[in-house]
Amino acid sequence: MATPYGSWSSPFSAADVAASAPRIDGALFVGDEFWWGESVPAEGGRVTVRSSSGRELLPAPWNARSRVHEYGGGAWTADADGALYFVDAGDQRVRRLAPGAEPEPLTAAGPRYGGLSLQGGRLLAVREDLRSDPHMRAIVEIPLDGAAAADDDGVRVLGQGPGFFAHPALSPDGSRIAWVGWSAERMPWEHATLTICALDGGARVDVPTKAALQPEWVSESELLFADDPGGRWGLHRIALDGTSLRSAPEPVAPADADTGYGLWVLGNRWYRPLPDGRIVAVRTNGRDEVVVIDPDGGVRRLDVPADAHVSVDDVSGSRVLLSGGGSGAEAGLWCADIDSGEVIVVRGGRVLDAEWMPPARAVSFDGPNGPVHAFDYAPAHPDASAAAGELPPYIVLVHGGPTAHASGAASAAIAFYTSRGIGVLDVNYGGSTGYGRAYRERLNGVWGVADVDDVLAAARGLAGTGAADLRRIAIRGGSAGGWTVLCALVRGGVFAAGISRYGIGDLRTLAEDTHDFEKHYLGGLIGALPEAEQVYIDRSPLTHAERIDVPVLLMQGADDLVVPPSQSEAISEALASHGVPHEYVIYPGEGHGFRKTETIVDSLERELTFLGRVFGFEPQL
């Protein structure tokens, strides 16, 4: 018997989505065990650290979460003896948790820390101090004996300034350190410099780079790093004599793909050198692939389930720990032996039945600014079907950033919709990473215009193939994606409903209220203030809220410091004043992104109910 699209019964409940794939936050080899960080939605999104022996290494209420640059990352590390070092979410102090002991502070209250790593027995970190004017950030070494637990001056500063820093890398003999830095006026994917500095207070050199990422020493005289001088992030090698360059950076196995990503968080790793000279690296061109690069430049693909937002978290001998998602498996953590080919599922990585969750189809559509890339998840159900001639409703997903990337990964969150007969089109509009610098820079100066062009072209293009009902396409996005949702609804003509999660509605107030890391981001996306103030006004959806003529669902975290609640509140008030049907939901205790089980469940069920009401189907919750 035929059942209308959107009304199919499904085994994927909202609660299942909240409890499904773990959110992995870094992983390490520690002795004979694997350790990893993991967000726990049932505990309000607390990040714990667990081991492959089944132990929880960081008990509640401790929460390993950094707020450096607001997005954090690298909030924990460990030594070979089983001591855990972590940044506590509450006060941002670094603590050490030795086996059988209680956490003890290593830093004083006040600054924030992130990007922790133990190198040569020394604890390195990125420090951010918002008490000073201007705000200062630094690459630091934290003493392990607790000497800095009550005094900031006990922390050794290795490099500092009012800009931003990431990826400290100590040379094998401990005499030099490399890091990536960028000015407060730029974003790291626009321009970032690789710096090498002698720790005795001597020479320092800034290597000529475009947008450097992740320096890694392979010997006393050789350093690897990623950069994109030719338009794709790729590996480069430099030879050194102390801090002096013996040669210009040399590409390592160049490819038409990116080994690198927008540097939003501090913990990601896109490659790792192995002791025998080989390199394990992620290459992204739409989807990810993991490759092994031989010393002679030969490249072979590593057969692993992970092909979406993959991070090369650690290596040990010929083994590598990979976290991320997969086109056929949910997010997880895997250990792969690059010699034997053995792959062990450490955590998560559930393979979804293709009858319920077939791999996403990579598609491209013609747009006014060039091709628009996307991943299409068609409705799928082994036992349900709609009446002949009925076309399915669709949700167009718009990722945040906007310098981010949709990866085509399988997930219960996608299957929540597709198994009910609602298709999902995940769009990598111009401005996305994963397709090279030219595609990424297509949004420069035209945010709110080119991204809207692209999502409209993708929606029309999909409907033009007969895969979707053009009258029943909604658009959903969060943060910068929420901005594109609202801008697209102002433009009108395609989308029958919009869902904005902590979206941006007013550029001028965002420019005033946003945090340091993104303070000048809008200058590249829109234009510099005050010269471009009228553009900010004209582009803002709040200015043209009366043009929105379809239902809107707004959802917002009450504690969001990146896009404050005032943004959603202003849009809600404007929609109400113009009589636009809408719902505004604010979630206490949530920040930029929803982490609590109850929030994830409520938001998904609200979305499904909202779509059923707009599109005329009876959803099965």
Side-chain angles (χ1 to χ4, degrees), residues 67-87:
R67 288 185 55 193
V68 171
H69 306 168
E70 297 302 339
Y71 296 105
W76 70 276
T77 190
D79 63 26
D81 296 325
L84 175 69
Y85 301 82
F86 68 97
V87 179

Side-chain angles (χ1 to χ4, degrees), residues 448-539:
V449 179
D451 48 327
V452 175
D453 290 341
D454 287 356
V455 296
L456 292 173
R460 289 189 181 109
L462 184 71
T465 67
D469 184 349
L470 185 58
R471 300 166 301 171
R472 295 193 296 170
I473 300 180
I475 182 170
R476 189 194 88 174
S479 189
W483 153 269
T484 303
V485 167
L486 296 172
C487 289
L489 297 184
V490 166
R491 179 92 64 94
V494 171
F495 298 112
I499 301 170
S500 171
R501 293 181 169 210
Y502 36 92
I504 299 160
D506 184 354
L507 287 176
R508 286 185 301 171
T509 58
L510 180 71
E512 295 169 358
D513 298 340
T514 197
H515 58 118
D516 281 4
F517 179 69
E518 297 183 74
K519 198 72 175 178
H520 297 279
Y521 195 10
L522 294 178
L525 294 171
I526 303 293
L529 288 171
E531 295 82 2
E533 183 174 8
Q534 191 58 48
V535 179
Y536 281 59
I537 295 170
D538 293 340
R539 294 264 183 92

Side-chain angles (χ1 to χ4, degrees), residues 31-111:
D32 295 328
E33 297 181 342
F34 314 122
W35 288 19
W36 67 91
E38 179 178 334
S39 178
V40 187
E43 298 180 33
R46 180 180 76 89
V47 177
T48 186
V49 179
R50 292 177 167 155
S51 82
S52 53
S53 67
R55 296 179 296 152
E56 181 172 41
L57 303 164
L58 187 64
W62 299 106
N63 182 1
R65 188 176 178 191
S66 167
R67 288 185 55 193
V68 171
H69 306 168
E70 297 302 339
Y71 296 105
W76 70 276
T77 190
D79 63 26
D81 296 325
L84 175 69
Y85 301 82
F86 68 97
V87 179
D88 182 60
D91 59 14
Q92 294 294 289
R93 298 174 78 181
V94 178
R95 288 175 167 82
R96 176 177 54 206
L97 176 57
E102 291 295 314
E104 56 181 355
L106 297 181
T107 60

Side-chain angles (χ1 to χ4, degrees), residues 195-452:
T195 295
I196 304 166
C197 183
L199 289 180
D200 61 4
R204 165 178 169 159
V205 61
D206 291 331
V207 180
T209 54
K210 186 74 171 177
L213 290 168
Q214 194 190 333
E216 300 278 355
W217 296 87
V218 293
S219 72
E220 296 293 354
S221 60
E222 189 175 311
L223 185 73
L224 291 173
F225 64 97
D227 196 15
D228 71 338
R232 302 299 301 245
W233 271 306
L235 296 182
H236 292 74
R237 177 186 289 113
I238 51 174
L240 296 159
D241 182 5
T243 57
S244 300
L245 302 184
R246 294 211 310 253
S247 63
E250 173 190 351
V252 177
D256 187 19
D258 288 317
T259 295
Y261 185 75
L263 188 52
W264 289 98
V265 298
L266 295 175
N268 286 350
R269 293 291 187 273
W270 298 277
Y271 74 97
R272 293 279 189 174
L274 300 179
D276 61 8
R278 292 180 293 177
I279 303 167
V280 178
V282 179
R283 286 178 169 176
T284 307
N285 190 34
R287 282 193 171 98
D288 292 353
E289 67 172 0
V290 182
V291 300
V292 179
I293 303 172
D294 293 327
D296 63 2
V299 179
R300 66 178 175 89
R301 181 179 176 275
L302 192 61
D303 187 13
V304 293
D307 62 2
H309 290 308
V310 181
S311 180
V312 187
D313 289 320
D314 200 11
V315 296
S316 176
S318 63
R319 297 182 303 159
V320 57
L321 280 173
L322 304 169
S323 61
S327 53
E330 288 188 306
L333 175 66
W334 296 266
C335 177
D337 190 307
I338 65 172
D339 288 336
S340 71
E342 181 186 22
V343 178
I344 298 171
V345 180
V346 178
R347 180 73 173 99
R350 178 179 60 153
V351 176
L352 295 175
D353 190 332
E355 287 188 312
W356 289 102
M357 183 80 232
R361 184 172 60 101
V363 294
S364 294
F365 305 99
D366 292 332
N369 310 298
V372 182
H373 302 296
F375 290 100
D376 175 27
Y377 302 83
H381 195 298
D383 302 313
S385 61
E390 182 185 357
L391 294 175
Y394 256 77
I395 305 172
V396 170
L397 296 186
V398 191
H399 64 67
T403 312
H405 180 70
S407 61
S411 73
I414 296 291
F416 177 79
Y417 289 105
T418 56
S419 62
R420 288 171 166 80
I422 304 167
V424 175
L425 184 68
D426 209 352
V427 180
N428 278 315
Y429 51 91
S432 303
T433 58
Y435 301 94
R437 178 177 281 267
Y439 196 82
R440 195 167 72 241
E441 292 184 343
R442 206 163 81 180
L443 202 57
N444 287 0
V446 286
W447 190 39
V449 179
D451 48 327
V452 175

